[in-house]
Amino acid sequence: MKLVQDQLTVQNFINGDFEQHQEASIDVISPLDGGSISRVPISTKKQLDKAVKSASTAFVKWSQLTLKERVQVFFRYRNLLEENIEELSNLIRLENGKTFGEAKAEVEKGIELCEFAVSLPQIVCNEIQEVSKGVACKIEKKPLGVVASITPFNFPNMVPHWTIPNALVLGNTMIMKPSEQVPLSVMKIAQLLKEAGLPQGVFNVINGSKEVVESICDHPDIKAVTFVGSTTVAKIVYQKATSNLKRCLALGGAKNHLIVLPDANTEMTASNVVASMSGCAGQRCMAASVMVGVDKIDHIIDKMVEEAKAIIPGENLGTVISAEAKERIERYITEAEQAGANVILDGRNVVVKGGETGFYVGPTILDHVTTDMSVAKEEIFGPVISIIRAKDLDQAIKIENGSNYGNAAAVFTQNGGLAKQVIERASAGMVGVNIGVPVPREPFSFGGWNESKFGVGDITGKSSIEFWTQSKKTTTKWNKEDKTNWMS
Ligand code: NAD
């Protein structure tokens, strides 16, 4: 499917309309060939003010609809995602560089997120109790008002769907700030929400980078901010938003450890570890980054190398996001090599026929990495796995616990008792047993620990209901005896 110019135009979406922009803009580069595919506006504070004003006005009516009324829009929207899945997947592929299959899986996950949102009327039931004769206490979940969602480059379609359906169905109105590296997918999302009948002003898109994020955190009429991106920026956003007395949930980077025990099933472990480290070119916050191999696991490593060799950049492996990212990832590999790691599969300097100018890095396996090396400590965000050897499970868990991050951890074994030890002692919010990418499916919520998440609760699933609402407690008395103490 060939995308046409209209599908590649990036504009702000305010009060139900796409807006022509005169302000400064920057190139959107496709990582598939390094060429410019569009320009993204760098919005000013004035444009943010306009979007917040439209969201505040829309909130009055939208928040007064019942949950059951609001979900009708999302039934239609969910179906539109399905009908437009090919175009949505092509947009993701063009702006992010992942394979078509990975892009499609991302949209499918977005659909699942909408399916959770349309089930909210079955979950969000208010509570009421007659606490003494004629006196009732009621607790209701009420929306917050205008909320903001700031998203990263690695899932241009799915991560926006972590917040849009739940926040809006629960009665909020939203300002979305997509990554300036991948703004096209959110344009299509805005168009489909409009087509589904979402009232004007309920969803608004403001493009830009650092400056507009800062203005969002400072804006007095924005009640809550969610952020997904690197830990460095998550800390800045969390501090700024909360110092302005806003509710904030900021998800950061990751350094996920997979512990492989010698009794693990060889084929299954090798294919899961390799799929985890190389899927989406290693640019998943749930990707395997360190494999802690306990005792004798060379047979598993041999199988991993065999599996990884079948992953061919440009065929079943997409690009990384930018020339800078490619340079950074290759620098990490070189640093590890110089520090004494054994590069048993080298993804540097790959040449892709027909994709010579694309930002490709091949799957890379580094063995005998030590905990002091940069590849063992820092987020690489590329298709690279660093193998650290451990003498026993205690040492392996200690290595996992030593990371500043805490998104995911996993164990590969056939021994339930040993797996349980990892489940209990891993310092991570999402743990897998014989699963390389332990993303919880809906309605289970998504969120890490330590420097992978700042704020209370998780961003999806049931946990997000608390984030997007505030509770109103009402006590009513309808008995006739006016002297009766209501407490009695
Ligand atoms: P990023 O932090 O560079 O950018 C994220 C967003 O912040 C973008 O919208 C960007 O415009 C904005 N931004 C960038 N610099 C800023 C600054 N100095 N001040 C204010 N705003 C700024 O992240 P990225 O490179 O787009 O995405 C990759 C990162 O996201 C990785 O670290 C990855 O682990 C993380 N991530 C985490 C999760 C999770 O669930 N924890 C999910 C997806 C991605």
Side-chain angles (χ1 to χ4, degrees):
M1 175 187 190
K2 186 134 180 54
L3 295 162
V4 295
Q5 194 48 46
D6 263 10
Q7 295 161 309
L8 304 182
T9 304
V10 183
Q11 294 173 324
N12 289 337
F13 181 73
I14 300 177
N15 207 29
D17 286 317
F18 289 99
E19 298 211 330
Q20 295 289 348
H21 60 92
Q22 269 81 45
E23 67 276 17
S25 61
I26 51 173
D27 276 317
V28 181
I29 304 293
S30 173
L32 293 173
D33 62 6
S36 173
I37 45 171
S38 188
R39 303 277 299 172
V40 58
I42 299 299
S43 306
T44 58
K45 196 175 163 305
K46 209 164 140 209
Q47 284 155 325
L48 175 67
D49 282 343
K50 189 174 169 196
V52 175
K53 217 167 173 181
S54 100
S56 301
T57 306
F59 179 73
V60 176
K61 275 196 184 156
W62 181 246
S63 60
Q64 281 171 12
L65 297 177
T66 62
L67 250 180
K68 278 182 185 277
E69 284 168 323
R70 287 192 296 259
V71 297
Q72 300 313 315
V73 174
F74 280 86
F75 276 114
R76 293 192 290 272
Y77 175 68
R78 179 233 168 267
N79 292 342
L80 286 171
L81 287 178
E82 211 164 59
E83 284 164 30
N84 288 272
I85 195 160
E86 204 185 326
E87 180 183 341
L88 289 161
S89 308
N90 277 313
L91 281 171
I92 296 170
R93 171 156 170 72
L94 181 70
E95 63 181 350
N96 171 280
K98 60 180 70 174
T99 66
F100 183 81
E102 288 167 344
K104 196 165 173 221
E106 181 178 337
V107 184
E108 282 163 353
K109 180 66 193 174
I111 291 171
E112 183 176 300
L113 289 155
C114 288
E115 287 167 357
F116 175 73
V118 297
S119 76
L120 283 170
Q122 324 309 323
I123 299 173
V124 183
C125 293
N126 298 319
E127 292 170 27
I128 185 162
Q129 189 185 113
E130 191 173 32
V131 289
S132 58
K133 205 70 206 151
V135 176
C137 282
K138 181 165 108 171
I139 187 159
E140 293 168 278
K141 293 203 185 301
K142 296 286 189 188
L144 304 174
V146 181
V147 299
S149 177
I150 302 156
T151 56
F153 79 80
N154 63 331
F155 283 94
N157 185 297
M158 181 192 76
V159 171
H161 285 113
W162 279 358
T163 55
I164 299 168
N166 293 353
L168 301 196
V169 161
L170 289 165
N172 302 287
T173 56
M174 180 178 276
I175 308 296
M176 165 66 60
K177 206 302 279 175
S179 162
E180 65 276 32
Q181 292 179 290
V182 294
L184 297 170
S185 293
V186 167
M187 289 296 93
K188 186 71 189 171
I189 288 171
Q191 189 203 316
L192 294 180
L193 282 168
K194 184 173 175 169
E195 206 176 316
L198 191 73
Q200 61 187 41
V202 174
F203 178 73
N204 304 271
V205 182
I206 281 289
N207 288 287
S209 51
K210 181 177 184 286
E211 295 71 22
V212 78
V213 171
E214 285 170 357
S215 301
I216 286 172
C217 294
D218 285 337
H219 204 291
D221 297 331
I222 294 177
K223 305 288 184 206
V225 176
T226 61
F227 170 88
V228 182
S230 60
T231 290
T232 308
V233 184
K235 284 181 183 171
I236 295 170
V237 168
Y238 188 78
Q239 281 170 343
K240 209 166 173 46
T242 54
S243 75
N244 282 317
L245 310 177
K246 295 183 200 316
R247 196 177 277 201
C248 184
L249 190 57
L251 274 59
K255 188 80 191 166
N256 305 314
H257 289 56
L258 308 187
I259 297 174
V260 175
L261 300 182
D263 74 331
N265 177 290
T266 306
E267 277 73 27
M268 187 268 282
T269 303
S271 72
N272 269 268
V273 174
V274 169
S276 177
M277 58 81 98
S278 65
C280 299
Q283 300 175 121
R284 286 188 287 202
C285 63
M286 295 294 279
S289 185
V290 172
M291 170 174 141
V292 189
V294 177
D295 200 14
K296 292 190 176 59
I297 46 124
D298 288 298
H299 57 292
I300 297 175
I301 296 175
D302 290 345
K303 186 72 190 158
M304 280 168 55
V305 174
E306 194 187 313
E307 289 267 343
K309 279 185 175 163
I311 295 174
I312 313 294
E315 287 180 24
N316 50 359
L317 180 69
T319 66
V320 296
I321 189 66
S322 61
E324 295 75 43
K326 177 175 159 70
E327 196 268 326
R328 185 196 67 235
I329 296 160
E330 296 191 341
R331 185 161 22 92
Y332 268 117
I333 301 168
T334 305
E335 265 175 35
E337 187 176 39
Q338 287 167 352
N342 189 3
V343 186
I344 53 177
L345 189 65
D346 190 349
R348 285 171 292 185
N349 308 314
V350 288
V351 178
V352 173
K353 213 161 170 274
E356 288 81 0
T357 53
F359 309 134
Y360 290 97
V361 180
T364 300
I365 302 179
L366 307 171
D367 198 4
H368 296 289
V369 167
T370 51
T371 50
D372 56 334
M373 293 181 192
S374 57
V375 287
K377 293 187 287 198
E378 293 162 26
E379 182 175 41
I380 302 172
F381 227 48
V384 179
I385 189 126
S386 303
I387 303 173
I388 303 180
R389 306 291 188 125
K391 65 177 187 316
D392 56 27
L393 184 58
D394 274 348
Q395 194 190 11
I397 293 174
K398 207 165 151 208
I399 291 167
E400 189 281 333
N401 286 179
S403 171
N404 290 340
Y405 297 100
N407 228 31
V411 59
F412 287 84
T413 180
Q414 301 190 49
N415 182 318
L418 296 177
K420 191 160 180 282
Q421 282 200 46
V422 176
I423 296 169
E424 279 171 12
R425 292 166 60 194
S427 184
M430 294 168 279
V431 181
V433 176
N434 297 323
I435 300 265
V437 186
V439 175
R441 302 287 298 267
E442 310 312 303
F444 300 94
S445 61
F446 185 100
W449 285 5
N450 309 324
E451 296 214 336
S452 292
K453 193 192 73 185
F454 305 96
V456 179
D458 289 331
I459 200 160
T460 63
K462 285 189 187 172
S463 178
S464 73
I465 299 169
E466 291 304 318
F467 185 80
W468 294 122
T469 57
Q470 52 195 339
S471 63
K472 178 165 279 184
K473 287 74 58 180
T474 313
T475 305
T476 50
K477 177 161 78 96
W478 293 109
N479 55 8
K480 287 194 185 116
E481 303 91 26
D482 58 0
K483 289 208 173 60
T484 305
N485 180 345
W486 67 269
M487 293 292 283
S488 62

